[in-house]
Amino acid sequence: MTALRNDLERYSEGEKLPSSRELVNRYRVSPVTVSRAVSALAAEGLVVTRPGTGVFRSAPRRTPGAPGDVSWQDVALSADASPVAVDASTWSAGADGVLATLTAPPPEVIDLNGGYPHATLQPESALAAALARAGRRPGAWSRPPVEGIAELRHWFARDVGGPNGRLSASDVLITAGGQSALTTALRALASPGAPVLVESPTYPGVLAVARAAGLRPVPVPVDADGVRTDLLAEAFRATRARVFVCQPLFQNPTGAVLPPQRRQEVLRIARANNAFVLEDDFARRLAHADTPRLPPPLAAEDPDGVVVHVRSLTKATSPSLRIGALTARGPVYERLRAIQVVDSLFVPRPLQETALELVGSPAWSRHLRTLAAALRDRRTAALAALREVLPHLVPDRCPRGGYHLWLRLPDGTDENAVVTAALRAGVAVTPGSPYFAAEPPGPRLRLSYVSTPGTGQIGEGVHRLHRACPRLGDAPGGAGDRR
């Protein structure tokens, strides 16, 4: 594309460029490469494509004028006294945590920070085939029902509730991924200014969504077995909250799995307080090949509509397959539906049809088996590298699901300085502080092993972290605190 952009200077305004065949021969590239280069130049406004006629040089771009004065926004964004207008440093911490996992580092930097699978872990061939089949379906581009297409809702109902469960398609609302589902659910379940109970630590996206909606996240500490139910009960009594957000399976970032007794306690405590449990089941499809049998979702054990369940296909497939589902029973479903309609009308039908084609094909189960084996191998590689050069950072209990490790740093460590030094050394890792709704109990890092091309880069990334901060391997973290 760089060569073609440079050659544009040879053409005058409105002059036709050579045909695609000529460009293929001139630059010795494939037709696909030429097509992508022309599309990129058209997006930049450098060329104009006219179907059936050809590609033409655009008029020269005008030099942008002087920047306007945006200082008025300081007043406009600060004058509102509503709960949404909180201190930017308070709510942006969660947003920054989400943005950090979405920011692609430079090619020379090993990515142990990302939250989505590398292209080598994505079922690209299966997705392409599903997309092609979906495009040939009658009515594929027509408007879908606002709740989602019926077949996909049936599939999610069986996937969440089990083949003989209580859930039906009428309990399912198709969403544009898990983050969209969390946003809709929190807006539906709590009014601005209200408290919402969250695990501590927790996924920064939950904190960002809650604060953007004017809610007040109240942290409930977790331990190696997930949320402490004694403190959950106390938090409900102290705040009179009506919502608790949790990830019972491979919690982000700790990796904890709620044991059976605590699962029942969470539901009992919520019922006793007339509260909802917002279950973010993001890691259901991220179990490793050596993972024991998974517990069912809380939603599958809840006959009373206490649980509002979030499930997404995105993490296990591709960042661009933004398909998820909200599952809820009772009057709350209508509120969820109404909010989603106001926000986005509906999820595009071609994307829903593609998801349905994917999960209904034999390639789906094959991909999940391949992904489970790859995640196991990547976890093993990360732990082996840590044991070699940073043994004091190895977690006491390593999750056999999800895509990251939660590392406790030595007391007194400046985690942001570690992240900065690591980046200079060529590896991107995530600081722990954005995962806490209040002051963190100690310094931490989250080390993701899902965004690299393979296991070799994971090991090299850990070695770069050690070279950047050799003192991390000298002393253990705080006594007994592995939250």
Side-chain angles (χ1 to χ4, degrees):
M1 189 177 77
T2 301
L4 182 56
R5 181 188 285 108
N6 293 336
D7 285 351
L8 284 179
E9 300 302 325
R10 299 165 47 189
Y11 302 93
S12 59
E13 178 183 344
E15 185 177 354
K16 184 178 179 180
L17 273 63
S19 67
S20 294
R21 181 177 298 178
E22 293 177 81
L23 294 175
V24 166
N25 293 331
R26 175 181 299 179
Y27 298 108
R28 299 182 182 276
V29 295
S30 70
V32 173
T33 300
V34 169
S35 176
R36 288 178 175 171
V38 170
S39 296
L41 294 177
E44 294 178 27
L46 298 176
V47 299
V48 175
T49 59
R50 298 172 187 165
T53 304
V55 180
F56 300 82
R57 172 73 188 273
S58 298
R61 288 178 290 184
R62 296 179 180 178
T63 303
D69 180 6
V70 297
S71 57
W72 64 271
Q73 293 185 4
D74 292 340
V75 176
L77 294 174
S78 305
D80 188 356
S82 72
V84 177
V86 295
D87 178 9
S89 63
T90 302
W91 69 264
S92 65
D96 288 345
V98 178
L99 288 172
T101 62
L102 294 176
T103 302
E108 67 274 11
V109 174
I110 295 175
D111 187 0
L112 300 184
N113 166 72
Y116 288 106
H118 189 268
T120 55
L121 297 178
Q122 298 174 23
E124 290 188 342
S125 296
L127 282 168
L131 180 62
R133 293 193 302 270
R136 293 193 295 269
R137 285 188 169 206
W141 289 93
S142 62
R143 179 180 66 80
V146 295
E147 303 86 356
I149 58 177
E151 299 92 336
L152 190 56
R153 296 169 71 202
H154 276 290
W155 183 86
F156 270 112
R158 293 192 302 272
D159 191 52
V160 175
N164 300 311
R166 299 182 180 91
L167 297 175
S168 66
S170 61
D171 302 318
V172 176
L173 178 68
I174 302 300
T175 68
Q179 188 71 14
S180 174
L182 289 171
T183 301
T184 297
L186 281 177
R187 290 182 57 204
L189 300 176
S191 301
V196 55
L197 304 186
V198 299
E199 296 167 314
S200 181
T202 190
Y203 165 51
V206 168
L207 302 178
V209 167
R211 287 165 175 156
L215 306 178
R216 179 164 52 89
V218 177
V220 183
V222 306
D223 58 21
D225 290 320
V227 66
R228 287 186 51 184
T229 49
D230 58 330
L231 298 179
L232 178 64
E234 178 59 32
F236 270 118
R237 283 192 294 270
T239 65
R240 298 185 179 180
R242 290 292 177 261
V243 186
F244 169 51
V245 186
C246 68
Q247 295 176 329
L249 184 65
F250 307 129
Q251 195 256 2
N252 184 7
T254 66
V257 178
L258 270 183
Q261 183 176 354
R262 288 200 191 183
R263 291 164 57 86
Q264 295 304 314
E265 273 293 284
V266 166
L267 294 178
R268 184 193 66 77
I269 292 169
R271 287 192 194 99
N273 288 275
N274 292 320
F276 290 98
V277 174
L278 179 53
E279 180 184 19
D280 181 8
D281 202 12
F282 81 103
R284 179 71 47 174
R285 300 299 184 189
L286 301 176
H288 301 176
D290 56 356
T291 302
R293 184 175 180 178
L294 300 180
L298 296 180
E301 302 176 335
D302 165 43
D304 304 322
V306 170
V307 179
V308 174
H309 183 275
V310 175
R311 176 74 58 85
S312 173
L313 297 178
T314 305
K315 290 287 188 185
T317 54
S318 163
S320 291
L321 187 67
R322 303 213 61 78
I323 289 290
L326 273 169
T327 303
R329 307 183 73 201
V332 69
Y333 180 89
E334 287 304 319
R335 184 175 293 187
L336 293 165
R337 176 178 177 271
I339 288 177
Q340 173 158 296
V341 168
V342 170
D343 283 350
S344 57
L345 297 183
F346 49 80
V347 177
R349 185 165 195 141
L351 208 55
Q352 295 190 54
E353 299 280 8
T354 298
L356 189 60
E357 286 284 354
L358 176 66
V359 299
S361 71
W364 177 238
S365 57
R366 289 197 300 268
H367 165 65
L368 293 179
R369 289 193 297 271
T370 301
L371 180 63
L375 290 174
R376 176 201 58 201
D377 295 345
R378 286 162 177 258
R379 180 202 74 214
T380 301
L383 290 171
L386 285 171
R387 291 189 180 106
E388 180 182 354
V389 295
L390 295 169
H392 294 305
L393 300 191
V394 176
D396 289 342
R397 188 185 299 182
C398 300
R400 287 191 280 178
Y403 54 86
H404 60 266
L405 300 174
W406 185 235
L407 310 182
R408 175 75 159 89
L409 301 181
D411 291 335
T413 303
D414 183 341
E415 65 180 38
N416 290 314
V418 169
V419 171
T420 300
L423 193 59
R424 291 197 190 102
V427 59
V429 292
T430 311
S433 54
Y435 292 80
F436 292 91
E439 294 78 8
R444 287 163 177 78
L445 292 181
R446 196 190 77 153
L447 190 150
S448 170
Y449 46 76
V450 78
S451 297
T452 64
T455 56
Q457 291 84 356
I458 295 170
E460 173 59 23
V462 173
H463 280 77
R464 291 184 185 184
L465 175 62
H466 177 242
R467 289 196 293 270
C469 305
R471 295 187 62 185
L472 290 181
D474 294 343
D481 185 0
R482 290 286 178 177
R483 281 187 288 138

